[in-house]
Amino acid sequence: MNQSTMDTLVGKEWGLFIDGQLVPSSNEELTPVYSPANSKLIAEVAVASPGDVNTAVQSAKQAFKSWSALPAQEREKIMRQASAYVRTQADRIGALMALEQGKPFAQSRSEVTSSCDLLDYYAAEAVRVEGYVNPTEKSNLYSWVTYQPIGVCGLITPWNYPVSLLSWKLGPALATGCTVVVKPTEVTPLSPWAFCQALTEGGIPAGVINVMTGGAQVGAVLIEHPDVAKIAMTGSTETGKKILQAAARQLKKVSLELGGHCPAIVCTDADLDLAAEVIAYKGFRNMGQSCSSVNRVYAHLSIHDELLGKICAKARKLSIGDGVTEPNCDLGPMTTAATLEKVELHVADALAKGAILHEGGKKPEGEKYQNGYYYTPTVLSKVNPSMLMMQEETFGPVVPLDTFDTLEEAIQKANDSAYGLCAYLFTRDFATTMKVSQALESGTVCVNNGAVNTPYAPYEGWKDSGFGSELSRKAVFEYLKTKHVKVAS
Ligand code: NAD
């Protein structure tokens, strides 16, 4: 894509999205969005004032009256029509994501279409919110339990998967009859903004989805608003804790999908080609900027060296480029300068404490990488728990390998973390699968695969990785209130 195509695509005006309209912010403040591939300014986006947030919440509150009153079958139909329309806009929304986030265009576009698939999954759930009838203690008593949409929801999202992590919240919210005010991250606001606008163009009624751009302070105002009944947030653990404290003042319902520090245990009987493939995919994909990245590998002593060689071979094969002009490359730049600095710090810290570098560990060479936040896929061995990367989320393309002798040692090392989001296990043995998957302190355990997120299964963090469900039927209940009706005739 050349500069003029990019200018046409991005356009100049990025206001707020309220009641189906593009609206300038009342305070005229703008926040810049830069390309991670070359540090150039892409767009300037409105920063919502407290008054703007109030207008958006009132719009959502008004729209809630009619959206929640629609028959569920009608909501299902509208959601399906809207997602079908968004698919026709996937090139544009995907290009915006590639520009602002750095993810290669092919992967960005695929994130948009898979988000449409997820909305369809939840459209089907709209008609399955069933209550139940209870047997009672007297023959003249009747008792039933029903569910009602919670109201206006604030959806606060991060930059690593800017559209899909939004769709995980939008899907169940819209299906149950809730309306929303979305607060995308200030780092990548364009693609979620365009996704929400396209949904409205595709038939979701005006006011059901509103978008407030800006930073932490905009999110804070949204949480404090008395007409916002629920907050669903994906982001860092540090921010999640602040959000929980703020929401507690009004006892708001909250769901938090936070950071991860995911271990992968590779046993002596594992299929090592498969293990290396999954670990390289989960460690390097999206430049390791994923909550479910493989952050630490524990390899049995007997297969450590062979596994290390196979992961290094995978790392060497990955192509790195500007995902806008090289849409099919494997990896783009990292998304922010701060994320790149953290990776450099973690690698330097590990090397200073005795780790051995086998691949990567530097910026790729060449002029085209000069002004972007690029880093090569990195593989380290001889790591230990004193190193930053073995305790904190690196959020970069780094795979460190440690060893274990007994399964008990592997489990102990894997569980030695404040986080509990996902864990991976590679073994061909059923008894090992049962024992280790049961013992891992983690909301998801993937055995011999890396497909962590599937629409049909709940995604929940344990420990510092948050609480509440995303994905699956269970997430629907995050957006519903329970009502028991007891009638004496
Ligand atoms: P972040 O916590 O910095 O920001 C997330 C969102 O919260 C942004 O929209 C931000 O503007 C907003 N925010 C920040 N402070 C706020 C405050 N005080 N009040 C209200 N809103 C506030 O996270 P990030 O850097 O955008 O994303 C990376 C993090 O997200 C990583 O830690 C990653 O592991 C995590 N993550 C978790 C999952 C999951 O499903 N568990 C998925 C993806 C990313």
Side-chain angles (χ1 to χ4, degrees):
M1 198 185 308
N2 61 33
Q3 188 65 43
S4 68
T5 318
M6 192 176 106
D7 289 345
T8 317
L9 176 78
V10 176
K12 292 287 167 241
E13 277 186 64
W14 287 91
L16 309 167
F17 189 62
I18 306 177
D19 204 22
Q21 303 293 323
L22 181 117
V23 179
S25 165
S26 60
N27 65 10
E28 293 182 5
E29 192 186 336
L30 296 170
T31 189
V33 180
Y34 296 102
S35 157
N38 53 33
S39 311
K40 284 189 187 151
L41 183 72
I42 301 172
E44 291 191 300
V45 179
V47 176
S49 69
D52 297 324
V53 173
N54 182 48
T55 309
V57 172
Q58 296 315 319
S59 160
K61 193 176 170 188
Q62 185 63 27
F64 179 74
K65 292 178 192 161
S66 46
W67 181 246
S68 63
L70 278 180
Q73 283 81 355
E74 192 61 23
R75 277 201 303 274
E76 177 185 15
K77 205 169 99 195
I78 295 171
M79 283 179 72
R80 285 185 189 281
Q81 278 170 356
S83 68
Y85 174 76
V86 177
R87 278 192 185 88
T88 69
Q89 304 297 306
D91 280 352
R92 175 171 184 260
I93 303 169
L96 288 170
M97 194 190 302
L99 271 172
E100 64 181 349
Q101 203 273 352
K103 197 175 295 177
F105 171 73
Q107 294 170 34
S108 298
R109 190 187 189 285
S110 158
E111 181 173 332
V112 176
T113 53
S114 64
S115 298
C116 292
D117 295 345
L118 195 81
L119 291 183
D120 286 346
Y121 176 90
Y122 279 107
E125 286 300 323
V127 295
R128 293 181 194 151
V129 179
E130 303 147 343
Y132 53 93
V133 177
N134 293 303
T136 60
E137 63 275 29
K138 287 184 183 166
S139 57
N140 71 326
L141 285 179
Y142 299 88
S143 159
W144 62 87
V145 174
T146 57
Y147 297 97
Q148 293 179 341
I150 196 162
V152 177
C153 301
L155 311 184
I156 300 179
T157 54
W159 49 258
N160 56 339
Y161 288 90
V163 170
S164 74
L165 294 171
L166 171 60
S167 73
W168 293 8
K169 298 164 183 54
L170 266 180
L174 298 183
T176 50
C178 293
T179 56
V180 303
V181 178
V182 176
K183 209 301 280 171
T185 163
E186 61 275 38
V187 179
T188 59
L190 309 182
S191 51
W193 199 110
F195 186 74
C196 292
Q197 187 195 35
L199 280 169
T200 304
E201 281 174 3
I204 302 288
V208 171
I209 306 174
N210 306 274
V211 185
M212 291 289 101
T213 43
Q217 75 286 3
V218 178
V221 172
L222 186 60
I223 296 165
E224 294 290 345
H225 199 294
D227 289 332
V228 174
K230 183 211 158 74
I231 297 291
M233 177 266 194
T234 298
S236 63
T237 298
E238 193 189 352
T239 304
K241 287 179 180 174
K242 285 186 201 156
I243 286 179
L244 189 57
Q245 280 178 342
R249 289 196 277 274
Q250 294 172 45
L251 285 182
K252 289 188 185 189
K253 194 164 172 159
V254 176
S255 46
L256 300 170
E257 291 296 338
L258 307 177
H261 197 244
C262 313
I265 298 174
V266 186
C267 299
T268 185
D269 67 329
D271 175 339
L272 295 187
D273 288 323
L274 173 73
E277 188 179 323
V278 172
I279 289 168
Y281 184 87
K282 292 303 299 181
F284 303 134
R285 180 92 167 167
N286 199 24
M287 288 303 261
Q289 301 169 124
S290 164
C291 55
S292 63
S293 271
V294 168
N295 298 103
R296 339 169 242 148
V297 177
Y298 300 107
H300 190 267
L301 281 164
S302 63
I303 48 87
H304 171 273
D305 292 357
E306 193 181 346
L307 180 70
L308 175 64
K310 287 177 187 289
I311 296 172
C312 287
K314 297 271 175 205
R316 278 195 294 276
K317 279 197 187 139
L318 295 169
S319 57
I320 310 177
D322 177 341
V324 177
T325 52
E326 297 166 64
N328 292 309
C329 61
D330 296 312
L331 302 171
M334 301 199 67
T335 306
T336 68
T339 330
L340 175 58
E341 278 164 26
K342 189 175 182 189
V343 173
E344 289 169 341
L345 174 76
H346 278 202
V347 171
D349 169 78
L351 294 177
K353 291 174 180 162
I356 296 177
L357 179 70
H358 298 272
E359 280 299 326
K362 58 180 181 353
K363 204 177 172 89
E365 282 159 23
E367 208 184 317
K368 71 174 182 178
Y369 302 116
Q370 281 311 306
N371 298 319
Y373 308 136
Y374 291 97
Y375 201 75
T376 44
T378 298
V379 184
L380 297 157
S381 70
K382 299 252 184 278
V383 292
N384 66 56
S386 75
M387 298 171 184
L388 288 173
M389 69 172 59
M390 296 305 278
Q391 289 299 331
E392 294 175 17
E393 194 179 29
T394 303
F395 226 54
V398 181
V399 172
L401 279 87
D402 190 4
T403 54
F404 70 90
D405 189 8
T406 63
L407 271 186
E408 284 65 30
E409 183 190 352
I411 293 166
Q412 182 273 321
K413 284 181 166 175
N415 285 343
D416 181 21
S417 170
Y419 295 104
L421 193 59
C422 313
Y424 303 86
L425 170 67
F426 297 89
T427 179
R428 290 179 169 109
D429 183 61
F430 185 67
T432 305
T433 299
M434 295 305 288
K435 176 179 171 164
V436 180
S437 64
Q438 182 69 19
L440 287 170
E441 295 166 0
S442 171
T444 300
V445 179
C446 282
V447 184
N448 299 329
N449 77 93
V452 181
N453 301 127
T454 32
Y456 52 78
Y459 189 48
E460 293 194 8
W462 289 17
K463 304 198 274 190
D464 270 4
S465 293
F467 57 77
S469 276
E470 292 213 299
L471 300 176
S472 85
R473 192 151 193 255
K474 217 176 156 207
V476 165
F477 294 92
E478 299 283 343
Y479 296 86
L480 291 168
K481 294 179 287 196
T482 306
K483 182 173 282 176
H484 174 213
V485 179
K486 192 165 183 181
V487 179
S489 65

